[in-house]
Amino acid sequence: MEKLAILWDSTALAHFETGQIVMMLVGFLLLYLAIVRKFEPLLLLPIGFGALLTNIPLAGFSEAGGLLYYVYKVGIDTGVFPLLIFMGVGALTDFGALIANPRMLLLGAAAQFGIFATLFGAIALNYIPGFEFTLKDASAIAIIGGADGPTAIFLASKLAPELLGAIAVAAYSYMALVPIIQPPIMKALTTQQEREIEMLQLREVSRREKIIFPLAVLLLTILFLPTATPLVGMFCLGNLMRESGVVDRLSNTAQNELINIVTIFLGLAVGSKLSADKFLTLETLGILGLGAVAFAIGTAAGVLMAKLMARFSSNPINPLIGAAGVSAVPMAARVVNKVGLQANPHNFLLMHAMGPNVAGVLGSAVAAGILLALVG
Amino acid sequence: MEKLAILWDSTALAHFETGQIVMMLVGFLLLYLAIVRKFEPLLLLPIGFGALLTNIPLAGFSEAGGLLYYVYKVGIDTGVFPLLIFMGVGALTDFGALIANPRMLLLGAAAQFGIFATLFGAIALNYIPGFEFTLKDASAIAIIGGADGPTAIFLASKLAPELLGAIAVAAYSYMALVPIIQPPIMKALTTQQEREIEMLQLREVSRREKIIFPLAVLLLTILFLPTATPLVGMFCLGNLMRESGVVDRLSNTAQNELINIVTIFLGLAVGSKLSADKFLTLETLGILGLGAVAFAIGTAAGVLMAKLMARFSSNPINPLIGAAGVSAVPMAARVVNKVGLQANPHNFLLMHAMGPNVAGVLGSAVAAGILLALVG
Amino acid sequence: MEKLAILWDSTALAHFETGQIVMMLVGFLLLYLAIVRKFEPLLLLPIGFGALLTNIPLAGFSEAGGLLYYVYKVGIDTGVFPLLIFMGVGALTDFGALIANPRMLLLGAAAQFGIFATLFGAIALNYIPGFEFTLKDASAIAIIGGADGPTAIFLASKLAPELLGAIAVAAYSYMALVPIIQPPIMKALTTQQEREIEMLQLREVSRREKIIFPLAVLLLTILFLPTATPLVGMFCLGNLMRESGVVDRLSNTAQNELINIVTIFLGLAVGSKLSADKFLTLETLGILGLGAVAFAIGTAAGVLMAKLMARFSSNPINPLIGAAGVSAVPMAARVVNKVGLQANPHNFLLMHAMGPNVAGVLGSAVAAGILLALVG
Amino acid sequence: MQQDIGQLLIEAATLLVAGMTFVFLFLTLLIGAIHVIAWINQRLGAEPTIEHAVAAPAANPTEPSQGVISAISAAVHQYRKQHR
Amino acid sequence: MQQDIGQLLIEAATLLVAGMTFVFLFLTLLIGAIHVIAWINQRLGAEPTIEHAVAAPAANPTEPSQGVISAISAAVHQYRKQHR
Amino acid sequence: MQQDIGQLLIEAATLLVAGMTFVFLFLTLLIGAIHVIAWINQRLGAEPTIEHAVAAPAANPTEPSQGVISAISAAVHQYRKQHR
Ligand code: NA
Ligand code: NA
Ligand code: NA
């Protein structure tokens, strides 16, 4: 009987705190979003599961000696996991559409306005009592507008580790919400006529150009923004492995098994940061709000930039493709395609939107480098 | 010549101790069992090889700076390797048969009697001079009766690391011996008539039930047995990845490359614990004996429970399936099927035995959690 | 404006040192060799990329906290990466040709003369002012003659870590240059008649022999050269997994995903050692020169040994196959085949050259063990 | 020492009883849980076939947006109210 | 504190301007780089088709040997001359 | 210093001789081992074909049970007897 009493005392029932219960509900919510709603399930499923595990009383998953503690220490504290994901994403990315039409980079640049405007907004939020975001906090939050998960996690782990959980959750949630957030903004800023514009077919890009491209990107980053070289460097390594054609077995492993393994652990480690004391705060509400703003502003800036470019371009440019500049590859490009098809059933914008889409990845990595250099 | 003398002195010949030679023979024996007899080769081959390497004089595989030293520190001391294996096993497990016939869980519960009775037996063995098992030792030994490798390694690494080598070897050896240990017990406890019983076909289980099931298991474990959540949690994560259908690439990696990589290292690390001073002891003999007893008792308890259930059940129950409750997936279920076929050539019990079989995995993880809570 | 000034100061432009620029050019040269010339691209591409990354001013890839710093610490300092590569190579190696014609081992032995003669040469180089090679340095350099990348990296990491970058680059470069270095030597030492010799077909080797072989190699190494057991042991583990036929899933993972993952990191870590202060030295020139000499001597020794054996053999032996004894699997065997075909269009030596070729792998691992025992 | 073993034996016996009790309780609870799951599953009606789910991956994550964010927001508010 | 926020806001505004300027400068440079790459690519003429490259992997790494080693050697010499 | 180099050279020469001797001895032993393996293999007779082995994986691990456990037990006893 005494043993049963000890067993009872070792159950969680006697030790649950409200915050842990609420966070478990958040974990279940993330699992629901991942499984039923299919919101970025590759990340949100492990994140949600990690949130469940880390909030179990007495289990100690995230305390010294616990599984999630080790995973976080080894993979996120060091920055290794997001960099490996970035290498894998590089190996998965085809820059052909961007090389064929390099001006699309300007759309990727414009969409970063979402990041920097949000940085300003986060600081302005300090006027509301209860918010006390530092510049570092604000930068880490603003990067959500980059719509790029590993970049956000990497920057947050450097600038504001205590906000990492909320930032990662917001980043992946909004990336999943791109099909809902973007279309109204895209439609509000364009006319039916503009949305109907068909674009010229892209030229073919040679293998040689695709090989030199990542090296050129790396070289420019080295020269002008060394703080961005971890992210950009690993991305370019992955892309070079892909395009060089001489290390296909390494490239395939980076695109598949390696990125899968790291994704499982990255998700669990991010989930381990979803504890009540770090997540159930006013800051989280601010982060959720600012993240939505960042996405909206980035989308708008991309579309407006595309309209501006269309005016000066001899070739027709459909301003919808500007929305793809926020990255969120390939979701944003698909959304562009869908909205374009609604306006004109013969208008296939997918390939044209891939250019600004991958440009947005580079753009937000560059923005992250700038923030590291100036704020970090 | 002097150099050749130094070389000679640096050979192992001048430094071998008897114990190392004996342990190498044990290593070769394990390799023989794995390769020729096909005893659980996935684990016994690396374990046997690890035993060879760790006993080489002067090579220092298991001393600070040696390969096996690192592997053990990183993977077993932290508990990470068995947990990752458990995640992979979860991703490999189909709970359909159990969900279709949930009462089979009682068979998985009954078979754990092998564990707790052996715990008692291990303490009783202390009456024989030379044995001095503590409660922790006894618990780590008893878990062999759970017939589940990673559970045994995980618990032994927490409760009795110095016995880990012998316990792991015994666990995997007996799991391989299931086709020899179980049938006589099964036949002794059942009549020919009972063994001939055919069971009703199982209902189909929906995908939704399969998705909710691992979450329900996790929830109950969180509420009532937090100490079991590392094992059960990782198992349920793997199973959820499998059944959710939205992260197939993660599930496939967990089932294949990741579990393979971890298996190689886990085996080597376990083998590194097969040193003469830790293995060639009276305790090892006790462990081998107790392990066999644990398997036998677990099998008997499962069969007797099935007979009891058959009496109160409206649907026919073949008591043979109780033997599958010890887990040893899928070997035990196959043995049930085979013995059933011997009695009645039209009696295919495989699917019916899968229910108690996977229930046994949960049962022994729960038993491990109880031992951790009460003894750890 | 001030921010832009800080940004400017945080660019690399203001901080580049000559040495870093030169080393980046070396990095680009390695990438060129890997991608355009297809020189051992699996290693030289990541090595070259690692050289680029490690020489970026302000980025700190190889300083405490940097990505390459962690990778080097975890994988090379510990010796784990080369050993895992060796396990994978073992799983990829078929010893059939060697078992069918075991005398080929003598060719693998003779070719190691390249290693030991170069060790002598490296010390002799000390007479030239500016060179001050210790015995350890000389041994690490000489192993380049073993024509085996992981062996060279493993030995260099133990005996002369500060030379590791140059040694690894030289080893892989010369392995890629085998088709240029070897043929002239082979032709100079053989007559047209000798090159035309056709050899008898090899007997078939049973699976049982292939299983026992790696265990026999390991046993001899344990008995007579424990210092070689890390390399030989992991190699034999891989080969045993391959040949045993009972752990195919482990063997496949070791041959594919695991070796690929480790190769990426090993290359990057080696590249991280290509810093100006360690690479742009007189020693590097010495290493490059000695490496070429080592390859040439090894090739010659192999061919001469084959001529000697031909004299005493009842079966015909084509002396060209001696050149394959330097290992560089499978490149050297292919070169033998090609030169043989030039002399006699019906002379397919590939299978006959595979024997000395894999013997050369064992030979250089043994040589590395000897150097570790006598010099380490 | 014989006495010590006796005491250990008693402890082991209690473990045996407590352990088996708990295992049975726990797995019986799980049986109940499975029945509840099956009942819920029936109430929810036919699930979308897997074909459908595969054919339209990440297709229509419609309207939940408001729901999601406001659910998290509500949770935070709730919690903060209690812990002020 | 309100003052502090004011100062932070000014910093944030500068970051906004400096950041966007830099992003545009950087990606504009990259546009230039892509044009240069395309120009180089055209000058180099048709590349060996991929089929060829696959068909002859590691086939003829001819003559570069001298070039390679001597290039590294030259680099070392050059560097050592400057840093004596 | 020149003297030191001389001494190192002598050491290197000894290494050269000792190393090559050992390499040859070792690999010659291995030749012998391979012949022994081949001889054993012939004595054991035809091996079960691989097809069979694959067709019946983990099929009949019969009777060895006693052998295995008692082999380990014997080893432990043997060892303990000697080390008492
Ligand atoms: Na972006
Ligand atoms: Na069990
Ligand atoms: Na060699």
Side-chain angles (χ1 to χ4, degrees):
Chain A
M1 275 305 91
E2 185 204 2
K3 289 276 167 194
L4 279 179
I6 298 179
L7 259 182
W8 169 255
D9 190 55
S10 78
T11 63
L13 291 172
H15 300 268
F16 257 119
E17 295 164 24
T18 334
Q20 291 171 324
I21 293 171
V22 177
M23 287 314 297
M24 286 204 171
L25 293 178
V26 172
F28 277 115
L29 174 67
L30 294 177
L31 290 178
Y32 168 83
L33 295 179
I35 296 171
V36 181
R37 294 287 172 181
K38 299 186 177 46
F39 275 26
E40 297 279 331
L42 292 173
L43 261 297
L44 286 191
L45 190 146
I47 291 179
F49 211 91
L52 288 185
L53 296 182
T54 202
N55 284 290
I56 305 173
L58 310 179
F61 271 95
S62 299
E63 285 156 34
L67 178 65
L68 300 184
Y69 171 85
Y70 289 123
V71 174
Y72 188 88
K73 275 278 168 205
V74 167
I76 311 250
D77 248 15
T78 63
V80 169
F81 283 172
L83 293 180
L84 293 183
I85 300 265
F86 232 57
M87 180 173 74
V89 173
L92 283 160
T93 300
D94 181 350
F95 278 109
L98 183 62
I99 299 173
N101 193 4
R103 280 175 309 162
M104 293 298 109
L105 279 163
L106 295 179
L107 301 177
Q112 308 316 316
F113 189 68
I115 293 177
F116 291 102
T118 304
L119 167 52
F120 188 84
I123 295 296
L125 216 60
N126 283 347
Y127 281 114
I128 300 175
F131 286 104
E132 288 179 29
F133 289 130
T134 65
L135 266 184
K136 288 191 183 190
D137 294 344
S139 304
I141 295 167
I143 202 71
I144 297 173
D148 188 280
T151 301
I153 292 171
F154 184 78
L155 198 72
S157 74
K158 301 285 174 193
L159 296 183
E162 73 287 356
L163 302 179
L164 190 140
I167 289 173
V169 166
Y172 283 104
S173 297
Y174 287 122
M175 279 162 67
L177 291 175
V178 151
I180 295 144
I181 297 177
Q182 289 200 319
I185 299 168
M186 292 157 74
K187 287 175 190 162
L189 294 176
T190 52
T191 65
Q192 168 74 14
Q193 250 177 328
E194 284 173 329
R195 292 199 291 278
E196 285 175 7
I197 295 172
E198 295 186 20
M199 293 176 70
L200 301 180
Q201 219 193 318
L202 294 173
R203 76 168 171 93
E204 233 176 87
V205 169
S206 77
R207 193 171 145 258
R208 203 192 274 140
E209 288 172 285
K210 285 187 178 180
I211 295 175
I212 301 176
F213 178 75
L215 291 170
V217 172
L218 178 62
L219 196 64
L220 287 180
T221 313
I222 289 173
L223 291 179
F224 298 111
L225 198 57
T227 47
T229 46
L231 281 169
V232 174
M234 293 309 281
F235 189 83
C236 290
L237 171 57
N239 195 246
L240 183 65
M241 294 199 301
R242 170 201 182 89
E243 301 296 354
S244 69
V246 293
V247 291
D248 285 346
R249 56 185 292 166
L250 302 187
S251 168
N252 287 335
T253 295
Q255 287 175 38
N256 293 291
E257 291 80 20
L258 184 53
I259 202 174
N260 291 346
I261 292 172
V262 174
T263 299
I264 295 173
F265 292 129
L266 179 76
L268 287 175
V270 167
S272 80
K273 288 284 140 177
L274 295 187
S275 60
D277 57 325
K278 280 180 198 133
F279 192 81
L280 293 178
T281 61
L282 198 56
E283 274 88 352
T284 297
L285 293 185
I287 290 170
L288 290 172
L290 290 166
V293 169
F295 263 66
I297 296 180
T299 304
V303 173
L304 293 175
M305 184 72 193
K307 290 180 77 160
L308 185 72
M309 282 171 65
R311 218 173 268 187
F312 296 96
S313 167
S314 50
N315 297 330
I317 293 180
N318 186 319
L320 288 177
I321 63 170
V326 294
S327 47
V329 184
M331 185 90 80
R334 279 201 205 131
V335 168
V336 168
N337 193 52
K338 198 175 156 198
V339 176
L341 282 174
Q342 284 170 0
N344 171 356
H346 303 293
N347 199 2
F348 293 94
L349 292 170
L350 190 63
M351 278 315 292
H352 298 286
M354 284 311 295
N357 211 341
V358 297
V361 177
L362 294 178
S364 48
V366 168
I370 292 170
L371 293 173
L372 274 176
L374 295 183
V375 181
Chain B
M1 276 304 92
E2 187 203 1
K3 289 275 166 193
L4 279 179
I6 299 179
L7 261 182
W8 170 255
D9 191 57
S10 78
T11 64
L13 290 173
H15 300 269
F16 257 119
E17 296 164 23
T18 334
Q20 292 171 322
I21 293 171
V22 177
M23 287 315 296
M24 286 204 173
L25 293 178
V26 171
F28 277 114
L29 174 67
L30 293 176
L31 290 178
Y32 167 84
L33 295 178
I35 297 171
V36 181
R37 295 287 172 180
K38 298 184 178 48
F39 275 27
E40 296 279 331
L42 292 174
L43 261 297
L44 286 191
L45 190 146
I47 290 178
F49 211 92
L52 287 185
L53 295 183
T54 201
N55 284 290
I56 305 174
L58 310 179
F61 271 96
S62 299
E63 285 156 33
L67 178 66
L68 299 183
Y69 171 85
Y70 288 124
V71 174
Y72 188 88
K73 276 278 167 203
V74 167
I76 311 248
D77 248 15
T78 62
V80 170
F81 284 172
L83 293 181
L84 293 182
I85 300 266
F86 231 57
M87 179 173 75
V89 173
L92 284 159
T93 299
D94 181 348
F95 277 109
L98 183 61
I99 299 172
N101 193 3
R103 281 174 311 160
M104 293 298 111
L105 279 163
L106 295 179
L107 300 177
Q112 308 316 318
F113 189 67
I115 293 177
F116 292 101
T118 303
L119 167 52
F120 188 83
I123 295 296
L125 216 58
N126 283 347
Y127 282 114
I128 300 176
F131 287 104
E132 290 180 27
F133 290 130
T134 64
L135 265 184
K136 288 191 183 191
D137 294 344
S139 304
I141 295 167
I143 201 71
I144 298 173
D148 187 280
T151 300
I153 293 171
F154 184 78
L155 198 73
S157 74
K158 302 282 176 197
L159 296 183
E162 74 286 355
L163 302 179
L164 188 140
I167 288 173
V169 166
Y172 283 105
S173 298
Y174 287 122
M175 279 162 67
L177 291 175
V178 152
I180 295 144
I181 297 177
Q182 290 201 319
I185 300 167
M186 293 156 74
K187 287 176 191 163
L189 294 176
T190 52
T191 65
Q192 170 73 16
Q193 249 176 329
E194 284 172 331
R195 291 199 292 278
E196 284 175 6
I197 295 171
E198 294 186 20
M199 292 177 68
L200 300 180
Q201 219 194 316
L202 294 173
R203 75 167 172 95
E204 233 176 87
V205 170
S206 77
R207 193 170 145 259
R208 204 192 273 139
E209 287 172 287
K210 286 188 178 181
I211 294 175
I212 301 176
F213 178 75
L215 291 170
V217 172
L218 178 63
L219 196 64
L220 286 180
T221 314
I222 289 173
L223 291 178
F224 299 110
L225 198 56
T227 47
T229 46
L231 282 169
V232 174
M234 293 309 282
F235 189 83
C236 289
L237 171 57
N239 195 247
L240 183 65
M241 294 200 299
R242 171 203 181 87
E243 301 296 355
S244 69
V246 293
V247 291
D248 285 346
R249 56 182 293 164
L250 302 187
S251 168
N252 287 334
T253 294
Q255 287 175 38
N256 293 292
E257 292 79 20
L258 185 53
I259 202 174
N260 290 345
I261 292 173
V262 174
T263 299
I264 295 174
F265 292 130
L266 179 75
L268 287 174
V270 167
S272 79
K273 288 284 140 178
L274 295 188
S275 60
D277 57 323
K278 281 181 198 132
F279 192 82
L280 294 178
T281 61
L282 197 57
E283 274 89 352
T284 296
L285 293 185
I287 290 169
L288 289 173
L290 289 166
V293 169
F295 263 66
I297 296 181
T299 303
V303 173
L304 293 174
M305 184 73 193
K307 289 180 79 158
L308 186 71
M309 282 170 65
R311 215 172 271 188
F312 296 97
S313 167
S314 50
N315 298 330
I317 292 180
N318 186 318
L320 288 177
I321 63 170
V326 295
S327 47
V329 185
M331 186 90 79
R334 282 201 205 130
V335 168
V336 168
N337 194 52
K338 200 176 155 198
V339 177
L341 282 174
Q342 284 170 0
N344 171 356
H346 303 294
N347 200 0
F348 294 94
L349 292 171
L350 191 62
M351 277 317 291
H352 298 285
M354 283 313 294
N357 210 340
V358 297
V361 177
L362 293 178
S364 48
V366 168
I370 292 169
L371 293 173
L372 274 176
L374 295 182
V375 180
Chain C
M1 277 303 94
E2 187 203 0
K3 289 275 166 193
L4 280 178
I6 299 179
L7 260 182
W8 169 255
D9 191 57
S10 78
T11 64
L13 291 173
H15 299 270
F16 256 119
E17 295 164 24
T18 334
Q20 292 171 322
I21 293 172
V22 177
M23 287 315 296
M24 285 205 172
L25 293 178
V26 171
F28 277 114
L29 175 66
L30 294 176
L31 290 178
Y32 167 83
L33 295 178
I35 297 171
V36 181
R37 294 286 172 181
K38 298 185 177 49
F39 274 27
E40 297 280 331
L42 292 174
L43 261 297
L44 287 192
L45 190 147
I47 291 179
F49 210 91
L52 288 185
L53 296 182
T54 201
N55 284 291
I56 305 175
L58 311 178
F61 270 95
S62 299
E63 285 155 34
L67 178 66
L68 299 184
Y69 171 85
Y70 289 123
V71 174
Y72 188 88
K73 276 279 167 205
V74 167
I76 311 250
D77 248 16
T78 61
V80 169
F81 283 172
L83 294 180
L84 293 182
I85 299 267
F86 231 57
M87 179 173 75
V89 173
L92 283 160
T93 300
D94 180 349
F95 278 109
L98 183 63
I99 299 173
N101 193 4
R103 280 175 309 160
M104 293 297 109
L105 279 163
L106 295 179
L107 300 178
Q112 308 315 317
F113 189 67
I115 293 177
F116 292 101
T118 303
L119 166 53
F120 189 82
I123 295 297
L125 216 59
N126 283 348
Y127 281 114
I128 300 176
F131 286 103
E132 289 180 28
F133 289 130
T134 65
L135 265 183
K136 288 191 182 189
D137 295 343
S139 304
I141 296 167
I143 201 72
I144 297 173
D148 188 280
T151 301
I153 292 171
F154 183 77
L155 198 72
S157 73
K158 302 282 176 197
L159 297 183
E162 73 288 355
L163 301 179
L164 188 140
I167 289 173
V169 166
Y172 282 105
S173 298
Y174 287 122
M175 280 162 67
L177 290 175
V178 151
I180 294 145
I181 297 176
Q182 290 200 318
I185 300 168
M186 292 157 75
K187 287 175 191 164
L189 293 176
T190 53
T191 66
Q192 170 72 14
Q193 251 175 328
E194 285 172 329
R195 291 198 291 277
E196 284 175 5
I197 295 171
E198 294 186 21
M199 293 178 69
L200 300 180
Q201 219 194 316
L202 295 172
R203 76 167 171 93
E204 234 177 87
V205 170
S206 77
R207 190 168 147 262
R208 204 192 275 141
E209 288 172 286
K210 287 189 177 180
I211 294 175
I212 301 175
F213 178 76
L215 291 170
V217 172
L218 179 63
L219 195 64
L220 287 180
T221 313
I222 289 173
L223 291 178
F224 299 110
L225 198 57
T227 48
T229 46
L231 282 169
V232 174
M234 292 310 281
F235 189 83
C236 290
L237 171 57
N239 195 247
L240 183 65
M241 294 199 300
R242 171 203 182 87
E243 301 297 355
S244 70
V246 293
V247 290
D248 285 346
R249 55 182 293 164
L250 302 187
S251 169
N252 287 334
T253 294
Q255 287 175 40
N256 293 292
E257 292 78 23
L258 184 53
I259 202 175
N260 291 344
I261 292 173
V262 174
T263 299
I264 294 174
F265 292 130
L266 179 75
L268 287 173
V270 168
S272 79
K273 288 284 140 178
L274 294 188
S275 60
D277 57 323
K278 279 180 199 134
F279 192 81
L280 294 178
T281 60
L282 198 57
E283 274 89 353
T284 297
L285 292 185
I287 290 169
L288 288 173
L290 289 165
V293 169
F295 263 66
I297 295 181
T299 304
V303 173
L304 292 174
M305 184 72 193
K307 289 180 77 158
L308 186 71
M309 283 171 65
R311 219 174 268 188
F312 296 95
S313 167
S314 51
N315 298 329
I317 293 180
N318 186 320
L320 289 178
I321 63 169
V326 295
S327 47
V329 184
M331 185 89 78
R334 280 200 205 131
V335 167
V336 169
N337 193 51
K338 199 176 156 198
V339 177
L341 282 173
Q342 284 170 1
N344 171 355
H346 303 293
N347 199 2
F348 293 93
L349 293 170
L350 192 62
M351 278 316 291
H352 297 286
M354 283 313 294
N357 210 342
V358 297
V361 177
L362 294 179
S364 47
V366 168
I370 294 170
L371 293 173
L372 274 176
L374 295 183
V375 180
Chain D
M1 208 205 79
Q2 294 274 350
Q3 208 174 8
D4 290 0
I5 299 179
Q7 208 159 359
L8 275 179
L9 268 183
I10 293 169
E11 278 215 64
T14 346
L15 266 173
L16 169 54
V17 176
M20 284 310 289
T21 311
F22 194 93
V23 168
F24 267 102
L25 281 178
F26 189 90
L27 294 185
T28 308
L29 259 175
L30 194 50
I31 295 177
I34 294 177
H35 283 301
V36 172
I37 295 172
W39 179 79
I40 292 175
N41 184 53
Q42 263 184 327
R43 297 258 319 188
L44 286 175
E47 66 187 336
T49 63
I50 293 179
E51 281 71 43
H52 180 77
V54 167
N60 277 30
T62 30
E63 325 98 278
S65 98
Q66 293 322 337
V68 175
I69 302 304
S70 54
I72 295 183
S73 303
V76 173
H77 278 302
Q78 199 69 13
Y79 178 75
R80 285 177 55 80
K81 219 183 290 174
Q82 292 174 11
H83 289 254
R84 218 162 269 176
Chain E
M1 206 205 83
Q2 293 274 348
Q3 210 175 5
D4 289 2
I5 300 180
Q7 210 160 356
L8 276 179
L9 269 183
I10 293 171
E11 278 216 65
T14 346
L15 265 173
L16 168 56
V17 176
M20 284 310 290
T21 311
F22 194 93
V23 167
F24 267 101
L25 281 178
F26 189 90
L27 294 186
T28 308
L29 259 174
L30 193 51
I31 295 177
I34 294 177
H35 284 300
V36 171
I37 295 171
W39 179 79
I40 292 174
N41 184 53
Q42 263 184 326
R43 295 257 322 188
L44 287 174
E47 65 186 340
T49 62
I50 293 179
E51 281 71 40
H52 180 78
V54 167
N60 276 30
T62 30
E63 325 98 278
S65 98
Q66 294 321 340
V68 175
I69 302 305
S70 54
I72 294 183
S73 304
V76 174
H77 277 302
Q78 200 69 15
Y79 178 76
R80 284 177 53 80
K81 221 184 292 173
Q82 290 174 12
H83 289 254
R84 219 161 267 177
Chain F
M1 208 204 81
Q2 294 274 347
Q3 209 173 7
D4 289 2
I5 299 178
Q7 209 159 357
L8 276 178
L9 268 184
I10 293 170
E11 278 215 63
T14 345
L15 266 172
L16 168 55
V17 175
M20 284 309 291
T21 311
F22 194 93
V23 168
F24 267 102
L25 282 179
F26 189 91
L27 294 186
T28 308
L29 259 173
L30 194 50
I31 295 177
I34 293 177
H35 283 302
V36 172
I37 295 171
W39 178 80
I40 293 174
N41 184 53
Q42 263 184 326
R43 297 258 320 189
L44 286 175
E47 65 187 338
T49 61
I50 293 179
E51 282 71 40
H52 179 78
V54 167
N60 277 31
T62 30
E63 326 96 279
S65 98
Q66 294 320 339
V68 175
I69 301 306
S70 55
I72 294 183
S73 303
V76 174
H77 277 303
Q78 199 67 15
Y79 178 77
R80 284 177 54 81
K81 219 184 290 172
Q82 290 175 14
H83 288 254
R84 219 162 267 176

